[in-house]
Amino acid sequence: MDATEDLIVESLSKHAVDAPSDEHLLSTVQHRLRRRRTGRTIGAAVLACAAVATAITASHSLTGELRTDPQVARPGTPESGWHWESYKTAQVQVPDSWTQYISGPAPCTTFGNAALPTIGRFNDWLGKSSYTCEDAVLPLGRRAPYLWFNDVQAPGTKQYDAGWTEETRLVGGTKISVLTQDDALRRRILDSARPITGTDYYGCSPTDLGPRGTGLNAKDTITSANICEYWHGSLVSGSRLAAKPAGAFAQRVNASPEGPQPARFAGCRQPDQRIYVVTLHGREKSYPVWLIADYCTVDHSFPTDDGTTQRRADAITLDLIRQGVHHPNQPSDLFDPAGPLTPSPR
């Protein structure tokens, strides 16, 4: 194993996720996580955890100096019925019907509707917290197709019962695993995968938050927006926002009170503070707006910066962009530190 593979394995051995964002984020939030520790045998235990939204200082402030070259080639528009998903350094197309998002190791993190196809991200939110998962595959009654980013599975193909196959490829340093009973579908998904060499389909760089804006024009009509979600400068996901919520977000940002980043509660620690770069597309031009999901501010506001004016947005403003893969009630927002990871050979 070379140094690159060592880094990949190390990053795969650490993860957790963040808490939902709403007016009650500083209250206790309960989530469930299924963990299996019985090797190849079938056994499940539901772990209920409560998380109080706590925070640490983000790796990048709203006044950071990260840049990226905007003149980069992006992948083409996906075929009808498909959309792009991205994570860290890789992007891949999946069917539009795959809308359930999960964080944790495959297949143990069975939070949500186990019958629905899933898009999973083995996140490393908390460097010292991880999950234990030793099952190779879920029992047939709870098995569903999935695409999983950065799981512990080694590159290659594994055959399971009843015609199920899991194939893993390394794309741009990020593992992509697909489990299906349909060989053609699995190949179609994996063959679409490609490294993010500049920006992904949504204009998101793997590591740079992008160029600063020059101010948000309140009179311009917003037609859509692209959202790039980052954790400690690493891309979590990208997405596109339709005209109505994008316009509502722009209006609420413009109506938010001006002011620098507010004071924070003493001792408040948040392990997964995220930054959202929302590029609002207007009829005249595009407007990048940065928003920090900081749940430790004393006035419960979220700092925004359009490149000219710093403001303090509220939870309703944040919720307008936390849709789909960014949704606060998706399993990808679990805050659930468990025991040390024990990856099975699988």
Side-chain angles (χ1 to χ4, degrees), residues 29-64:
V29 182
Q30 294 186 338
H31 294 283
R32 294 170 296 161
L33 172 74
R34 299 185 187 275
R35 299 190 301 166
R36 292 159 184 82
R37 301 176 175 175
T38 55
R40 301 287 178 170
T41 63
I42 298 172
V46 176
L47 174 65
C49 72
V52 176
T54 56
I56 58 174
T57 303
S59 293
H60 304 286
S61 70
L62 286 175
T63 56

Side-chain angles (χ1 to χ4, degrees), residues 202-224:
Y202 305 103
C204 307
S205 163
T207 55
D208 290 348
L209 275 66
R212 302 300 299 279
T214 57
L216 178 56
N217 182 359
K219 296 181 179 180
D220 198 357
T221 300
I222 302 301
T223 58
S224 66

